[in-house]
Amino acid sequence: QSALTQPRSVSGSPGQSVTISCTGTSSDVGGYNFVSWYQQHPTKAPKVLIYEVTKRPSGVPNRFSGSKSGNTASLTISGLQADDEADYYCSSYANNYVVFGGGTKLTVL
Amino acid sequence: EVRLVESGGGLVQPGGSLRLSCAASGFTFSSYWMHWVRQAPGKGLVWVSRLNTEGSSTNYADSVKGRFTISRDNTKNTLYLQLNSLRAEDTAVYYCARGGPRRWDNMDVWGQGTTVTVSS
């Protein structure tokens, strides 16, 4: 049950795009198409942005997109906005557990 | 409105116990897997446990296995987490989260969290 690996921080200017990676193993990310991404602003509960690798819940802007290759999933945020500054977490279904990444702090410069 | 409201957190001594509750409303609670996720101060999200719709199938993180017990009462639309043999490292905000009808569904609704502090 090791945590998925995410970069601790990323940054970008308004209007730019950033990509956050999430690396696991063949037992979690690589083995299932059940990767989710969550956004968490300070003192708030997490909010789901992406589920099942590429799907967006209603209400989530299409600036947020997900993908996966092998054991690594990615979240891309295009057209960065000030409100995108937050912590981002990936998670993956595994057979007998769920695992999160360590989180990535996105700074909008 | 779909809503999850946690309660039961507080200050407890090491080795002590606590029971957290999560009251669900606005959806058919009995049709959804449910999860507990925790977040230590200044740290990331860590999955704790999940429970199937009937309350008969559970999974736990290795760090809490044997000490925590997840359960639910579908007649009261409430999820529980019994925390025993608490340690300082269990100090965290505990969130309940709604899964889906299937065990692999993501967590799409989260409560606001309840804080557990383990300290003497």
Side-chain angles (χ1 to χ4, degrees):
Chain A
Q1 297 187 4
S2 299
L4 306 176
T5 300
Q6 296 181 232
R8 295 203 68 168
S9 64
V10 298
S11 63
S13 299
Q16 288 186 333
S17 295
V18 295
T19 296
I20 300 171
S21 62
C22 168
T23 301
T25 69
S26 58
S27 296
D28 37 63
V29 174
Y32 306 93
N33 286 323
F34 299 123
V35 175
S36 301
W37 288 91
Y38 300 89
Q39 177 191 61
Q40 187 182 34
H41 286 106
T43 73
K44 300 294 187 182
K47 169 191 172 184
V48 60
L49 297 174
I50 298 289
Y51 66 101
E52 292 178 19
V53 180
T54 62
K55 298 178 180 178
R56 270 190 317 276
S58 61
V60 174
N62 59 10
R63 302 187 297 107
F64 295 91
S65 62
S67 62
K68 192 186 85 166
S69 177
N71 295 337
T72 298
S74 298
L75 172 71
T76 297
I77 308 171
S78 59
L80 271 178
Q81 300 178 0
D83 189 53
D84 295 335
E85 185 160 297
D87 293 324
Y88 292 82
Y89 296 90
C90 60
S91 78
S92 175
Y93 169 86
N95 190 29
N96 291 318
Y97 58 93
V98 175
V99 60
F100 281 93
T104 298
K105 180 174 180 57
L106 169 62
T107 300
V108 180
L109 302 171
Chain B
E1 178 193 4
V2 174
R3 199 169 178 220
L4 299 171
V5 179
E6 301 94 335
S7 60
L11 174 63
V12 60
Q13 292 187 340
S17 298
L18 215 52
R19 188 174 87 153
L20 308 183
S21 300
C22 170
S25 59
F27 65 100
T28 305
F29 178 70
S30 59
S31 296
Y32 291 81
W33 283 70
M34 296 296 296
H35 299 257
W36 286 99
V37 176
R38 69 184 182 183
Q39 186 169 34
K43 303 296 185 182
L45 301 173
V46 176
W47 176 80
V48 173
S49 182
R50 71 181 171 198
L51 180 63
N52 72 339
T53 56
E54 297 89 357
S56 58
S57 176
T58 60
N59 294 113
Y60 296 93
D62 288 344
S63 58
V64 307
K65 203 171 294 183
R67 301 187 300 121
F68 291 9
T69 303
I70 190 172
S71 62
R72 67 194 295 163
D73 186 335
N74 286 342
T75 66
K76 295 182 178 179
N77 292 339
T78 302
L79 177 73
Y80 302 100
L81 186 68
Q82 178 69 40
L83 289 65
N84 295 332
S85 302
L86 282 162
R87 307 165 180 167
E89 55 265 36
D90 296 318
T91 294
V93 174
Y94 285 74
Y95 295 100
C96 71
R98 187 179 78 169
R102 306 166 301 179
R103 63 185 291 159
W104 52 82
D105 287 329
N106 69 295
M107 296 168 238
D108 67 342
V109 178
W110 295 63
Q112 85 291 347
T114 187
T115 300
V116 172
T117 303
V118 184
S119 175
S120 54

